[in-house]
Every structure is written in C-alpha cells, then in structure tokens.
Amino acid sequence: MKRSVFILLLLRGIAAAAKALGAPQQTIGPALKLPLKPNSVRFAIIGDSGTGEPPQFEVAQQMVTFRKDFPFDFVLMMGDNIYGSKTPRDFKRKFEDPYQTLRSAGVKFYACLGNHDHTEELLYKPFNMNGQHYYTLKIGNVEFFALDSNYMDPPQLDWLERQLSGSGAVWKICFFHHPLYSHGKFHGSDLDLRARLEPLLVKSGVDVVLNGHEHVYERVKPQQGINYFILGNSGELRPHNLNPSPDTEKGFDTDRTFGLIEIAGDEFNFQIISRTGATVDSGVLRPRQKSK
Amino acid sequence: MTLQRLYKLVKTLAVILVGWTLFAQDRVNPDSLIVQDFAKRVNDYMNLQKSLAKGLPAPKPTPDPQIILDHQGKLAHRIREARRHAGQGAIFTPEISKEFRRLLGLAREGQNDAHIKKSLERSEPVRLTLHVNDAYPSDIPLQSTPPTILMNLPALPPGLEYRIASHALVLRDATANIVVDLIPNAVP
C-alpha cells in the first residue's frame, strides 16, 4: 500500500515537472496563437542571442517565418547582444548577418546591456540606445523601460522612479538582463538587484518584466502582481538547466526560443516559439491595475 | 493646531533630522575631507579626459562599430600617454582606500551581505588581474556591481564607474575603456 502511494506521488511529481517544463504541450509548425487585432502593438523578444553560431541564425529564420503571419515592428533584446570580442566583424557576424532579413524589412531593434556587452554598444545605432544606459520607448498604450542591470546605481533608480511615476501608459514593461526571479541552475535570482528594484516596480504599477541572462526560457508565476519572463536562449542554451519550482508557471530548457507579443487594449498576448517552430508557451495577461 | 501640538511636531521633526544626519554620516559623508579629496581627484581626472578628447570627433550613434572603437582607442591612447606615470593609488590613496573599505563593509551589513554574495556569485564572476591604464578586455564579461554597493559609495560623474574584477574594486573610464585606479582585495 505504502509502495503504491509512493509510486502514485512520484508519477504525479513527474507529471507536474513535465507540465512546468512544457514538454507535452509543444506544438510543431508555424501555428500562430496571437489574435492579430487591429492597431495592436506587436513585437518580438530575444535574449542572450549574440553568438554568431548556427542556432542563432535558425532562431532568426523562425522569426522571419512567423513574421509573415504576425508582422511585428520591432524586437526587444534582453542583453548579451554580442558575446566575446567586439570587433566590427563580430557586430556583423553576431547581429547584422543573423537578422539581416528582418532589418531589411524595416524591423527595429532596441537593446539593453548584458554582462557580456560593453559600453561601445550604446553608440551602435542599430541597437537604438542613443548612447544611453537606460531609456524609455512609448508605443501606443505601452511604455517600455530599458534598464542597465549591470549597474543599477542611485541615479538610474531615481530616473526610473521619475519615469514610472510620470507614465500614463496602460502597460508598463521593464526589460533588463539580470532576472529578479529565476529557477535556472546556473545563475538563479539576483537577490541584491531584487532588494533594490522590486519595491519600485511594485509601487509604480509595472505589469511585466522581461529578462535574459539565464540560458533557458521560464515564465514565473506573478510575484507581487508582476509577471516575469526570462528568455535567455535565443543564441546560447544551457540544456536541462531549469530547476522548476512551485513558482515556475512554464519552462523550456531543451532548445533555443524567441517570443512574440501582441498588446491590444488590456490584453498582453504572448507566444514563445522554439528554434524548430514549436510553440512552448502562450497565453494572455491583463494589466495589474485592471486585474485588481 | 495648538501651540503645544506644534511644539511636539517640531520636536519630532528635529529628532528625525538629527537621526537621519547621524545615519547619513555612517554612510557616504560628502563633507568628509577624505571623500572631498576623492571627489577632487575624480574631477581632476575628468578634466584631463575632457581636455584630451579635444580634437576627437564627439562620439555619436553610428552604424559603423569601427568609428566607435577608433574613438575609444584614440582617447585611451592619449590618456595612457598623459597618465603614464600614474600608478595604483593615484586616486585611491591609502586614506581613500581605507574609507572605501569601511564603506564596503557598511554595504555588507546584515541581510545585505548574503544578497551581495549571491549576486556576485550569480553574475559570472571574472578572474582577472587588472592594472592602472589597462584596457578592460572586450571578450571578458563585465561583472555587474551590486546596487547596494553602489548606494554606499561616493557618486561618480557619468562615464566613470565602479566595477569588480576578481576581488578588486576598479574605477573604470567606460568611455575610453581604461582602468583609472583600483583597490585590490576590496571585495571578499
């Protein structure tokens, strides 16, 4: 009897872990799960992309494929945009070449800095940072706050507080490299960054936070009302590096991914897609102020 | 409001103000002669950097990384020439280093210590020995500096930053990508 209970619990545990890691719910092929509503804000997200290796090109090719059905206008980059050396050849091989088709089609890229990025990237025009470590971008009813989590000093925190409190956007979305919450085995949560930044994000009504750094995909259950996405596997990958916890809403750690997002009114629709075109996560979120 | 209540309010505010002042003095005290000396040395460095940048085209966004790297390289070369005799301690004098070690100790008080240690462990620590006037190698990650440390150190002008490399606290000119000075073994 005891043995059968143990086996039952074990099986339930395995099933829960498999569900969190997303394995049984993958779908193959370019099946779009976004509503394509008129006048919606459409964009893609990539993280830890700048390797210049074949998987980065393959993810980029999937982005091109999906863009035929979901014409997004811009891409947010979660940092580690250029790994290794930073010669002009590296900028070409690790950014310009993989995303050439998207860039030729007029898709703009907005970057933040990761720990592998150096300050020369601030002035690299295709990253649209205009020499700034942190900046905002307002599109429709959405305001994006790009932060430099490598160097979260008091002036940046003061700036963010001013920007967030002055923002009237329905959707406030922060993106930066280091995750405040992560169940990756290699890095995990950045606790000191969380201690300083989270109170400000909570107080100012931030709805969604997008991060990289961990070379897996993870969607964390809302923490103090904020939805956290970690997508740090658009070029790099640490296979089987996710240690799902009860706070993991969804995870995927066996291939590279990118994300597609459509914001229409008070709906944040997302679809996370693997290098092979499989959908590994999708859903709809609502802004914090309206879900209360 | 009665006079008595007003008196009580003023008294409470005075206590808070005195308490805050004492607390602030425990952290960075901008009036301290040591911090003033540090600020002056940093200011002198920035004036030198600005004067050396004269004649170079002002850096602005460009799609050509070579232009950015050329500007960085030329500025760094001029700084190295101008500061060829600058050694470790030119800015972080023994007195300033001692004060920085005290401030770093305060930053790690209580719960912050565990948070900072975890953050440092999880941000891909770099094992790298740097010297004054070295370029920070472009193929090595820049370890993030924990926000609590930054909150406890004197503010820097834009373009200068505190970085941690191995256990050293490095003062880095990010515009020229050059090590201005460092305190070895400042961070455990």
Side-chain angles (χ1 to χ4, degrees):
Chain A
M1 181 64 181
K2 277 183 185 171
R3 184 179 289 177
S4 62
V5 170
F6 172 75
I7 290 169
L8 187 66
L9 288 172
L10 186 67
L11 288 172
R12 286 179 73 175
I14 290 168
K19 187 181 174 193
L21 286 169
Q25 295 182 7
Q26 287 183 51
T27 56
I28 303 295
L32 194 67
K33 292 176 179 290
L34 300 168
L36 288 169
K37 289 190 177 172
N39 303 318
S40 58
V41 177
R42 299 171 190 176
F43 60 100
I45 58 171
I46 55 176
D48 302 65
S49 52
T51 62
E53 299 296 323
Q56 181 189 7
F57 284 79
E58 288 157 16
V59 168
Q61 185 51 50
Q62 282 294 349
M63 294 169 77
V64 172
T65 303
F66 271 83
R67 192 169 179 272
K68 288 172 189 158
D69 292 334
F70 180 72
F72 55 86
D73 303 314
F74 60 98
V75 179
L76 301 183
M77 303 175 79
M78 302 300 122
D80 287 0
N81 314 308
I82 308 284
Y83 281 100
S85 57
K86 311 281 187 287
T87 64
R89 191 170 166 272
D90 291 304
F91 280 81
K92 185 172 185 307
R93 191 168 67 88
K94 299 168 186 175
F95 174 72
E96 292 168 15
D97 288 350
Y99 306 113
Q100 187 187 16
T101 308
L102 293 172
R103 294 179 67 230
S104 302
V107 174
K108 291 184 87 173
F109 287 72
Y110 296 93
C112 66
L113 295 184
N115 54 309
H116 286 266
D117 300 310
H118 285 207
T119 35
E120 53 265 29
E121 291 181 32
L122 300 176
L123 290 166
Y124 180 55
K125 204 175 175 67
F127 285 169
N128 286 297
M129 300 179 82
N130 287 317
Q132 304 298 315
H133 284 261
Y134 37 92
Y135 60 94
T136 68
L137 174 68
K138 191 158 190 317
I139 298 173
N141 62 349
V142 188
E143 188 155 11
F144 298 95
F145 303 83
L147 306 179
D148 182 358
S149 59
N150 294 298
Y151 205 77
M152 191 61 66
D153 60 352
Q156 183 175 188
L157 287 166
D158 292 346
W159 171 88
L160 181 61
E161 186 162 22
R162 284 196 306 276
Q163 296 297 321
L164 285 170
S165 62
S167 171
V170 173
W171 287 93
K172 295 179 186 178
I173 299 176
C174 289
F175 68 104
F176 50 91
H177 189 61
H178 298 83
L180 306 190
Y181 292 92
S182 162
H183 303 99
K185 293 175 193 167
F186 193 76
H187 293 302
S189 311
D190 191 324
L191 299 179
D192 193 54
L193 187 65
R194 187 201 289 176
R196 301 297 159 199
L197 192 56
E198 187 181 39
L200 181 53
L201 305 183
V202 172
K203 185 182 82 174
S204 310
V206 169
D207 302 289
V208 177
V209 171
L210 307 170
N211 299 127
H213 197 44
E214 206 80 69
H215 297 162
V216 297
Y217 166 73
E218 183 182 11
R219 178 160 57 92
V220 180
K221 284 182 181 163
Q223 301 293 315
Q224 301 200 54
I226 299 175
N227 288 282
Y228 290 89
F229 289 80
I230 297 131
L231 197 149
N233 59 351
S234 301
E236 285 284 8
L237 174 69
R238 282 201 184 91
H240 308 290
N241 203 249
L242 194 57
N243 193 13
S245 95
D247 282 338
T248 303
E249 188 72 65
K250 195 78 177 179
F252 181 72
D253 62 0
T254 52
D255 203 351
R256 278 84 175 169
T257 67
F258 68 100
L260 294 178
I261 293 166
E262 178 176 5
I263 299 178
D266 65 352
E267 281 187 1
F268 177 106
N269 302 273
F270 63 92
Q271 181 174 1
I272 309 301
I273 298 154
S274 79
R275 182 177 56 99
T276 58
T279 295
V280 299
D281 191 15
S282 63
V284 186
L285 307 176
R286 305 269 173 193
R288 279 173 65 194
Q289 50 266 46
K290 291 191 177 163
S291 58
K292 277 179 184 172
Chain B
M1 187 181 283
T2 65
L3 201 61
Q4 199 177 6
R5 287 180 77 181
L6 185 66
Y7 172 73
K8 265 189 181 173
L9 182 68
V10 170
K11 200 174 149 187
T12 310
L13 285 174
V15 168
I16 291 169
L17 189 65
V18 169
W20 168 251
T21 309
L22 288 173
F23 174 78
Q25 279 174 355
D26 274 347
R27 310 279 156 174
V28 179
N29 177 3
D31 297 330
S32 127
L33 290 176
I34 297 171
V35 173
Q36 281 182 3
D37 184 24
F38 174 73
K40 183 188 173 303
R41 286 167 191 271
V42 164
N43 196 39
D44 289 347
Y45 174 82
M46 290 308 289
N47 287 337
L48 174 72
Q49 191 238 48
K50 276 177 198 153
S51 70
L52 294 171
K54 278 180 189 161
L56 293 176
K60 56 182 181 184
T62 168
D64 184 354
Q66 192 60 57
I67 293 172
I68 305 166
L69 296 169
D70 282 350
H71 178 273
Q72 190 182 69
K74 282 175 187 165
L75 182 58
H77 177 71
R78 290 181 183 188
I79 293 170
R80 263 184 213 109
E81 284 294 303
R83 297 187 80 230
R84 61 186 174 277
H85 300 302
Q88 188 189 311
I91 289 182
F92 290 128
T93 63
E95 294 77 21
I96 292 171
S97 297
K98 191 179 167 193
E99 176 63 2
F100 266 68
R101 288 180 198 278
R102 187 184 76 84
L103 294 170
L104 288 165
L106 288 172
R108 298 199 310 272
E109 277 179 349
Q111 211 179 8
N112 291 337
D113 189 39
H115 288 172
I116 288 171
K117 274 185 188 156
K118 284 277 180 210
S119 287
L120 289 172
E121 279 168 23
R122 292 173 176 181
S123 60
E124 294 181 44
V126 291
R127 297 280 169 258
L128 178 67
T129 304
L130 290 168
H131 306 92
V132 171
N133 284 339
D134 278 355
Y136 193 97
S138 72
D139 56 346
I140 295 194
L142 277 161
Q143 187 172 5
S144 55
T145 314
T148 304
I149 286 184
L150 295 173
M151 283 173 67
N152 280 273
L153 296 180
L156 291 173
L160 279 188
E161 57 186 31
Y162 299 112
R163 290 287 181 176
I164 292 165
S166 297
H167 297 287
L169 182 76
V170 176
L171 182 65
R172 176 176 176 256
D173 180 335
T175 311
N177 186 27
I178 196 168
V179 173
V180 181
D181 204 353
L182 68 147
I183 306 175
N185 296 315
V187 181

